[in-house]
Amino acid sequence: MRPVARADRGRLYRRYLRHVRSDEVATQVDVRMMERAVSLARAAALHDEVPVGAVLYETATNRVLAEASNTRETENDPCGHAELIAMRQGARALGDWRLTGCTLVVTLEPCHMCAGAIVNARVGRVVYGADDPKAGAVRSLRRVLEDPRLNHRVRAVRGVLAAECGDVLREFFRRKRRQ
């Protein structure tokens, strides 16, 4: 995959704005961070991991705190999801488990486990690419991040570079089925 040229970023952002169906709107920083998450996902696929990438950054300063991809297969860790790893690393970098001033960018809609951790870590925003109709807990199956029974609600932005994120996953599973 070729890197997205600076001129193309504006075009991609405008196209995203036309198709977004969320109260929250992604910023150009979110799109740039999603591009990084997609490259992390592609790298994970080379290690036979489900290609999911995540980037955690400070919303106010745009400082990247952590980057991660899935490690379930390589580490034999059922909790080796990119989101969890990025949040752990980010909390260490901040010196605080509360990630209220942070945005988590992830290529695939978080599952129930990750959504619960996102709420418990008090993440401020979540930005994700592809919907996950089989396990997604942000919009697809449940709405964990906005459940009024929980002590924290998280703003979510969906569909950022969704086609590209979905293509990475589809290609990975297409290759797995051929093997």
Side-chain angles (χ1 to χ4, degrees):
M1 181 192 112
R2 69 175 178 82
V4 178
R6 197 174 286 268
D8 291 339
R9 282 193 185 133
R11 183 181 52 79
L12 286 171
Y13 183 66
R14 285 188 298 279
R15 189 172 71 190
Y16 158 76
L17 288 175
R18 281 197 305 269
H19 298 293
V20 71
R21 287 183 229 130
S22 172
D23 295 338
E24 281 285 318
V25 176
T27 65
Q28 289 185 334
V29 173
D30 293 332
V31 173
R32 196 169 65 240
M33 297 296 179
M34 184 63 77
E35 290 169 353
R36 178 64 188 142
V38 168
S39 70
L40 291 165
R42 289 184 194 284
L46 298 175
H47 297 288
D48 216 27
E49 292 284 354
V50 173
V52 177
V55 176
L56 182 74
Y57 75 93
E58 283 183 311
T59 310
T61 64
N62 301 333
R63 179 174 69 115
V64 174
L65 299 171
E67 299 178 332
S69 58
N70 278 6
T71 61
R72 289 176 64 178
E73 300 298 327
T74 55
E75 300 288 328
N76 295 313
D77 180 4
C79 297
H81 289 202
E83 302 96 306
L84 295 180
I85 297 165
M87 286 189 295
R88 272 191 213 114
Q89 292 173 357
R92 280 190 207 109
L94 280 177
D96 191 355
W97 63 267
R98 291 173 195 85
L99 303 174
T100 51
C102 298
T103 297
L104 178 66
V105 178
V106 62
T107 57
L108 181 65
E109 179 181 3
C111 69
H112 286 81
M113 175 178 67
C114 293
I118 289 165
V119 169
N120 284 324
R122 315 291 198 271
V123 173
R125 293 174 70 234
V126 170
V127 176
Y128 70 91
D131 287 328
D132 186 351
K134 293 183 179 179
V138 176
R139 294 274 193 278
S140 296
L141 296 179
R142 299 276 187 276
R143 291 178 175 257
V144 173
L145 301 187
E146 47 189 58
D147 190 325
R149 298 169 295 181
L150 300 176
N151 62 339
H152 179 70
R153 261 135 330 280
V154 181
R155 297 183 332 258
V157 179
R158 67 187 264 206
V160 178
L161 300 183
E164 188 173 351
C165 294
D167 289 345
V168 171
L169 286 158
R170 273 188 293 281
E171 179 54 37
F172 174 79
F173 287 112
R174 190 176 298 126
R175 186 173 47 82
K176 290 295 274 183
R177 283 190 293 274
R178 277 184 267 162
Q179 291 177 349

